[in-house]
Amino acid sequence: MIINPIENGIVIDHIKAGKGMQLYNILHLGELSCSVAIIKNANSVKLGKKDIIKIDEVIDLDLDIIGYIDPGITVNIIRNGVNEKRVNIEAPERITNVIKCKNPRCITSVEQELPHVFKLTDRENMVYRCIYCESKAK
Amino acid sequence: MRSVIDILDLSTEEIDELIETALDIIADGKKYSEKCKGKKLATLFFEPSTRTRLSFEAAMYELGGQVLGFSDSGSSSASKGESVSDTVRVVSCYADIIAMRHPKEGAPMVASMKASVPVINAGDGGHNHPTQTLADLLTIKREKGAFEGITVGFCGDLKFGRTVHSLIGALSRYKNVSFVLISPDELTVPSYIKKEILDAKNIKYYETTDLEKAMPELDILYMTRVQRERFFNEQDYIRLKDSYILTPEKLKNAKEDMCILHPLPRVNEISVAVDEDPRALYFKQALNGKYMRMALILKLLEVQ
């Protein structure tokens, strides 16, 4: 399967197979007017199978969201057909308003205006906890 | 400006310092009777609590300060839909320090982010209750002399029991402390506490349903109440509430110098006959709570 190389845009690479669509949705890529390609189950030396997202425009991406979904991802910024910048994503220390706390006893369940903030408490197992009630993100 | 939301907000050195202040207050309370003159404590209790609120109020009065506040959300602006953030912003204009209890977990943390004065968490749902832990620690220190090397049995509701979680966290920072976790299967210590505190720090512990069998090993027996307000389902509460009732007979095999602690209020999990036993220290523990709250207020108000 061939997807044409992009001249100016972003390639989100090394996405764990199966997570491409989740990333597409959480980054609201469906709202873009440029071309966006999701390649599922591409062969990968590193991962066996991987997903890739190609965006035909350089846009601002929230790297914290990407890191939360999958810290193994690499983001490549392509300008004039050249890979100008390659960013190895890491799990962010904190994420704000990416996911919601599901604990019905949490203060965020009654005070709607509060930001939903989670902090990374266990990098090895990618455990995020609500900063208010310390419930594990699900 | 410093708040205390979780017992782990305080280092072991700071806890030692608070214990030292509390012991000095016990030795010579008069010395402290005007330390907080002109200062006001706001007790914001969005959930009813008699002893914690009164303990905070007594603590502030004994330091020569004054107290204002409310004792349930029905008599506060929360009943009109005001947010915690707005309430504490306003209260910060009137008081020098806030003690807050709230049924929702994390509410005092929200308060500490918005208030311009120190906030003390006086209990947030089933989550944290750091000043109860300070009371527990002072009691253990006074009775046992040190935290190192003790075996602590927790009995009752270890799932929702915030005092249990906080005390496990606090004691886990000392050497050679071991735990016996005694509860019905439905109310065991949450797995994250076992994994992230006990296992991570390689602390010796085991879980059991048998209180009497564990009794001879214990230096401290920390009893807890199964709390109706933590259950969404009344039937579960009724089924579990009488799982453990401590009686003089059950204490037969306990060490002679074992300490029986309870955060109070008690319902029926400790028979009143146990009150006469010299090992029953729960009322002394409540008194220790007042001294530690005094020490904490002094620390957070930076009063010398």
Side-chain angles (χ1 to χ4, degrees):
Chain A
M1 186 179 165
I2 298 164
I3 305 266
N4 291 335
I6 43 180
E7 198 52 29
N8 288 293
I10 295 172
V11 178
I12 308 176
D13 201 359
H14 302 113
I15 308 168
K16 253 187 217 123
K19 287 206 166 184
M21 208 54 214
Q22 187 189 357
L23 197 57
Y24 177 88
N25 288 327
I26 207 163
L27 291 171
H28 303 290
L29 300 182
E31 292 165 19
L32 295 175
S33 52
C34 64
S35 306
V36 179
I38 304 178
I39 304 156
K40 293 185 62 123
N41 299 320
N43 288 324
S44 162
V45 179
K46 201 163 106 185
L47 301 169
K49 296 274 181 197
K50 65 178 180 181
D51 290 357
I52 305 168
I53 296 176
K54 290 189 171 192
I55 305 164
D56 200 15
E57 200 174 278
V58 178
I59 57 162
D60 279 335
L61 283 176
D62 188 332
L63 299 183
D64 284 352
I65 296 181
I66 298 175
Y68 169 69
I69 298 291
D70 179 357
I73 286 174
T74 45
V75 173
N76 302 284
I77 314 286
I78 317 290
R79 284 191 206 272
N80 302 319
V82 178
N83 192 342
E84 186 189 84
K85 195 176 169 192
R86 179 187 165 99
V87 185
N88 291 317
I89 302 292
E90 280 189 3
E93 287 296 330
R94 266 175 184 246
I95 46 170
T96 302
N97 290 332
V98 176
I99 44 169
K100 292 205 165 216
C101 182
K102 301 228 170 80
N103 174 10
R105 295 181 178 88
C106 180
I107 184 68
T108 55
S109 70
V110 287
E111 298 211 352
Q112 311 299 330
E113 81 292 353
L114 286 172
H116 286 247
V117 184
F118 284 76
K119 66 179 178 196
L120 183 62
T121 57
D122 177 354
R123 189 170 282 279
E124 197 184 325
N125 297 304
M126 278 290 284
V127 176
Y128 280 87
R129 291 192 180 279
C130 172
I131 62 159
Y132 308 107
C133 70
E134 296 181 274
S135 291
K136 201 169 164 178
K138 284 178 186 152
Chain B
M1 205 258 316
R2 172 99 189 268
S3 290
V4 172
I5 303 305
D6 186 318
I7 190 68
L8 300 180
D9 291 343
L10 295 163
S11 66
T12 51
E13 290 77 20
E14 286 175 314
I15 286 174
D16 287 346
E17 208 183 286
L18 290 172
I19 288 175
E20 214 171 285
T21 307
L23 292 173
D24 198 45
I25 293 169
I26 294 166
D28 185 6
K30 273 196 185 143
K31 207 163 77 185
Y32 291 85
S33 64
E34 297 209 335
K35 289 273 187 193
C36 287
K37 201 172 175 186
K39 303 273 186 194
K40 288 185 290 270
L41 164 76
T43 51
L44 310 185
F45 278 62
F46 293 84
E47 183 181 61
S49 153
T50 319
R51 68 211 63 247
T52 306
R53 184 172 56 84
L54 294 185
S55 175
F56 266 109
E57 294 185 359
M60 194 54 173
Y61 285 129
E62 286 192 29
L63 291 168
Q66 289 173 303
V67 178
L68 64 164
F70 53 84
S71 55
D72 77 85
S73 59
S75 58
S76 80
S77 50
S79 62
K80 297 174 193 162
E82 189 181 46
S83 67
V84 166
S85 309
D86 284 2
T87 302
V88 297
R89 277 192 189 116
V90 173
V91 173
S92 295
C93 306
Y94 310 141
D96 301 285
I97 186 164
I98 293 171
M100 180 188 202
R101 166 163 296 192
H102 199 286
K104 290 292 177 185
E105 298 173 8
M109 154 82 93
V110 172
S112 71
M113 291 157 93
K114 302 292 178 183
S116 54
V117 298
V119 175
I120 302 172
N121 182 1
D124 57 337
H127 187 214
N128 277 319
H129 194 357
T131 59
Q132 177 63 51
T133 309
L134 291 176
D136 303 340
L137 292 172
L138 177 60
T139 310
I140 297 171
K141 184 79 173 189
R142 288 182 79 185
E143 301 302 323
K144 295 288 167 200
F147 302 116
E148 288 78 8
I150 56 170
T151 299
V152 184
F154 290 97
C155 178
D157 173 8
L158 310 189
K159 183 179 180 185
F160 299 115
R162 58 188 168 194
T163 57
V164 172
H165 305 166
S166 292
L167 188 54
I168 288 177
L171 287 174
S172 296
R173 299 190 290 184
Y174 298 93
K175 279 185 190 156
N176 299 325
V177 174
S178 51
F179 299 114
V180 183
L181 309 173
I182 309 148
S183 72
D185 290 336
E186 294 89 341
L187 296 175
T188 55
V189 166
S191 56
Y192 75 90
I193 290 180
K194 286 182 256 179
K195 205 172 150 211
E196 291 174 22
I197 299 179
L198 300 175
D199 294 341
K201 294 187 172 176
N202 221 356
I203 288 163
K204 212 170 106 188
Y205 76 96
Y206 70 88
E207 296 182 282
T208 177
T209 54
D210 194 337
L211 169 61
E212 283 170 271
K213 206 170 158 193
M215 193 71 85
E217 302 169 44
L218 309 178
D219 297 307
I220 308 282
L221 171 60
Y222 196 97
M223 294 294 294
T224 62
R225 171 172 65 101
V226 176
Q227 298 179 81
R228 183 191 293 263
E229 59 268 34
R230 305 288 166 237
F231 287 84
F232 286 130
N233 182 341
E234 179 77 8
Q235 280 164 339
D236 285 346
Y237 166 70
I238 290 167
R239 187 167 53 83
L240 294 167
K241 72 182 173 66
D242 295 331
S243 299
Y244 297 98
I245 296 173
L246 187 66
T247 58
E249 295 71 49
K250 287 187 185 162
L251 285 166
K252 264 191 305 204
N253 295 322
K255 287 183 184 170
E256 275 184 19
D257 62 346
M258 187 187 78
C259 302
I260 306 166
L261 304 187
H262 190 301
L264 302 177
R266 136 183 82 174
V267 181
N268 63 344
E269 58 282 0
I270 300 180
S271 138
V272 286
V274 175
D275 297 357
E276 302 309 315
D277 192 306
R279 292 169 290 192
L281 294 173
Y282 25 92
F283 295 113
K284 200 170 173 189
Q285 187 185 355
L287 179 61
N288 285 334
K290 183 189 71 178
Y291 295 131
M292 283 305 258
R293 289 181 180 106
M294 288 170 78
L296 184 61
I297 290 169
L298 288 170
K299 181 178 174 63
L300 297 183
L301 287 177
E302 296 174 2
V303 175
Q304 296 301 316

